[in-house]
Amino acid sequence: MKRVLANDGIDKLGKLLLEEAGFFVETTKAIEGHLAETINNGNFDVLLVRSATKVTSSILDACPNLKLIGRAGVGLDNIDVKYADAKGVKVINTPAASSQSVAELVFAHLFSGVRFLQNSNHEMRNKGETHFNDLKKSYSTGIELQGKTIGIIGFGRIGQAVGKMAIGLGMNVVASDPFIKEAILHIHILPTKQDIPVKISTIPLEDVLTKSDFITLHVPGKINGKAVIGGKELDLMKPGAGIVNAARGGVIDEDALLYALDTKHIAFAGLDVFENEPTPASALLHHPLISLSPHIGASTAEAQERIGKEMAEGIISFFKNN
Ligand code: NAD
């Protein structure tokens, strides 16, 4: 019987599928600093992680019987993939399972930003009983998303999911992606069961920045160690525009963003990801113009179920073929 250590947990459907296929699945997390020992003592063939567990070269060296590492999610920055490759340990992930959930979170931040919800939630709790009319006045200048232009930087799975939702909301969509010339977005109209294809051709980054009322980032991470959006790019954005980062911490230069918000060039930001997670800069956490979430893009019941299912299928198929 093959043994799986799901060190950061696994959705119950994924666990069930593995157990039905004859795998043993352990979901108790190894004690901090004792991961290798837990893998070896438990004779585990598979280590399943989300983003919390780090799979370093020393873990890989210490666990010669490990055959497969599963990352329940997209980013592989917590796994030394090159070293695993060199040691013949296969690494698999679930790249498509969370795209819709991340896209929806982008809109949660956008809707928050244009109606000041990040701040009014907080102020209503503190002053809603005594200063209702003052608050009503100070939050009276919201705008709609409909009719505005969203600029999507990185037009892969999540970028395209955002594009579809934006079209559904009546927004104009522009996108930049050096590796994708054009994409056909299929808009599914549930009540009438129609499928409407919409072709979006990508344009240069500068044009996306200057044309958009809102920018959202969906690139794989920093490019050559550098932020995709720094001071220069923020300057190119329309005055009063909003920006959302649900990609990776550091894709927006955080200091440059704070400056752009403080000078009111940028109206608001939505951040799900941060440099230095899990200890983000306190200036970001306390800024009234930033809508915040703690890296929960994929944290929905539906995404976790898809991730668990995709991961179980990946593990089962690996042992069928090896
Ligand atoms: P993807 O690989 O499908 O798309 C990324 C796109 O970025 C690709 O099309 C690529 O060509 C493009 N790209 C690369 N360099 C670029 C550049 N310099 N400028 C513009 N585009 C560039 O990936 P995805 O599944 O859409 O994921 C996108 C990001 O979302 C990743 O960083 C991933 O880690 C992150 N993510 C976050 C969460 C969360 O919880 N917030 C969850 C899942 C994924």
Side-chain angles (χ1 to χ4, degrees), residues 246-290:
R248 275 280 171 270
V251 160
I252 301 180
D253 178 323
E254 294 179 346
D255 291 333
L257 175 65
L258 285 166
Y259 180 78
L261 290 166
D262 288 340
T263 53
K264 300 278 187 312
H265 174 58
I266 297 300
F268 71 88
L271 300 179
D272 184 50
V273 289
F274 304 84
E275 281 210 270
N276 303 321
E277 287 181 25
T279 50
S282 105
L284 296 172
L285 302 181
H286 294 101
H287 205 290
L289 298 178
I290 306 182

Side-chain angles (χ1 to χ4, degrees), residues 119-308:
N119 222 19
S120 81
N121 264 315
H122 178 69
E123 288 213 291
M124 278 295 280
R125 218 161 282 133
N126 293 335
K127 297 195 249 169
E129 280 170 299
T130 51
H131 292 76
F132 190 93
N133 283 336
D134 295 338
L135 294 178
K136 183 176 162 87
K137 207 167 162 198
S138 57
Y139 297 125
S140 63
T141 55
I143 57 168
E144 295 178 350
L145 293 185
Q146 180 174 256
K148 306 296 186 304
T149 297
I150 188 165
I152 302 170
I153 301 175
F155 209 39
R157 286 173 293 256
I158 299 173
Q160 292 184 28
V162 168
K164 289 207 269 185
M165 292 179 65
I167 290 166
L169 278 168
M171 299 182 81
N172 187 30
V173 174
V174 293
S176 94
D177 190 314
F179 305 104
I180 293 186
K181 226 175 122 216
E182 61 179 43
I184 309 285
L185 306 185
H186 290 271
I187 316 293
H188 304 295
I189 313 289
L190 270 189
T192 54
K193 298 194 169 37
Q194 281 168 289
D195 185 319
I196 301 173
V198 179
K199 186 167 101 177
I200 305 282
S201 301
T202 56
I203 59 175
L205 174 65
E206 287 70 21
D207 294 341
V208 167
L209 293 170
T210 52
K211 282 175 196 287
S212 301
D213 301 296
F214 310 105
I215 292 289
T216 180
L217 288 142
H218 302 290
V219 294
K222 287 185 181 179
I223 307 295
N224 302 324
K226 278 185 64 190
V228 176
I229 300 292
K232 183 175 136 243
E233 289 75 21
L234 287 161
D235 281 349
L236 284 175
M237 285 172 62
K238 280 187 186 176
I243 187 162
V244 176
N245 184 14
R248 275 280 171 270
V251 160
I252 301 180
D253 178 323
E254 294 179 346
D255 291 333
L257 175 65
L258 285 166
Y259 180 78
L261 290 166
D262 288 340
T263 53
K264 300 278 187 312
H265 174 58
I266 297 300
F268 71 88
L271 300 179
D272 184 50
V273 289
F274 304 84
E275 281 210 270
N276 303 321
E277 287 181 25
T279 50
S282 105
L284 296 172
L285 302 181
H286 294 101
H287 205 290
L289 298 178
I290 306 182
S291 170
L292 298 155
S293 53
H295 203 151
I296 53 163
S299 305
T300 64
E302 292 84 351
Q304 289 309 312
E305 188 176 293
R306 281 194 293 268
I307 286 171

